[in-house]
Amino acid sequence: RTHGANGRCVRRADGPTSLAEGFHELESRGPGALIVQPQVTEFYGRSIRAVITGQRLRAAELRVAAAGEWRSNIVHGATQHHTDLTPAEGALAADAARAMGLSHAGIDMLRTTRGPVILEVNSYPDFTKTLSRPGEDLTKVALLACLPRSGKLS
């Protein structure tokens, strides 16, 4: 389902029975779009979060799920560490933010043998726990990128 912030409406299905159970559970929550994606086992329990603000990469972190958890959301106990993006990952993240028309976006990606794959694009990423680059105030950068062209904070 869309609007599944923090992984709360994300389910993993290991077969037809668990797929049907997950579908019926989410359907009972009311109308909304359901998104079905294949599981990428080669990057299981990990994801990359790239924060693009003002068309520039502002932060990149590897998120690793807590023991016994498969979702790499911080709210579910995942740890995060600074990481460097490959040129392909950086370009994909920037292209995704641009394609969605976002001044500030969190792009979640998976690393695969076929190259980076986008898991989701967050139009309102929580960056209070994001590991921004030293000396950079991500809050100020995000606000300036999203304000009208005056570029002034009152």
Side-chain angles (χ1 to χ4, degrees), residues 20-123:
E21 289 170 354
F23 174 81
H24 291 301
E25 178 200 347
L26 293 172
E27 182 182 46
S28 72
R29 293 177 181 236
L34 292 174
I35 300 169
V36 179
Q37 298 171 288
Q39 182 173 299
V40 179
T41 57
E42 63 194 278
F43 209 60
Y44 185 81
R46 295 172 289 163
S47 65
I48 302 293
R49 164 64 63 94
V51 176
I52 303 289
T53 306
Q55 300 179 356
R56 288 188 44 217
L57 177 67
R58 301 297 179 162
E61 53 200 29
L62 171 66
R63 295 177 169 193
V64 180
E69 177 61 64
W70 57 275
R71 293 169 290 192
S72 56
N73 300 81
I74 302 303
V75 72
H76 293 290
T79 57
Q80 59 188 354
H81 314 277
H82 284 287
T83 192
D84 292 322
L85 298 185
T86 66
E89 291 168 342
L92 183 62
D95 288 348
R98 190 172 26 262
M100 299 296 290
L102 299 172
S103 299
H104 177 65
I107 314 299
D108 293 345
M109 298 181 286
L110 303 176
R111 288 180 170 153
T112 75
T113 55
R114 298 172 314 282
V117 175
I118 292 180
L119 181 60
E120 66 177 330
V121 177
N122 298 279
S123 60

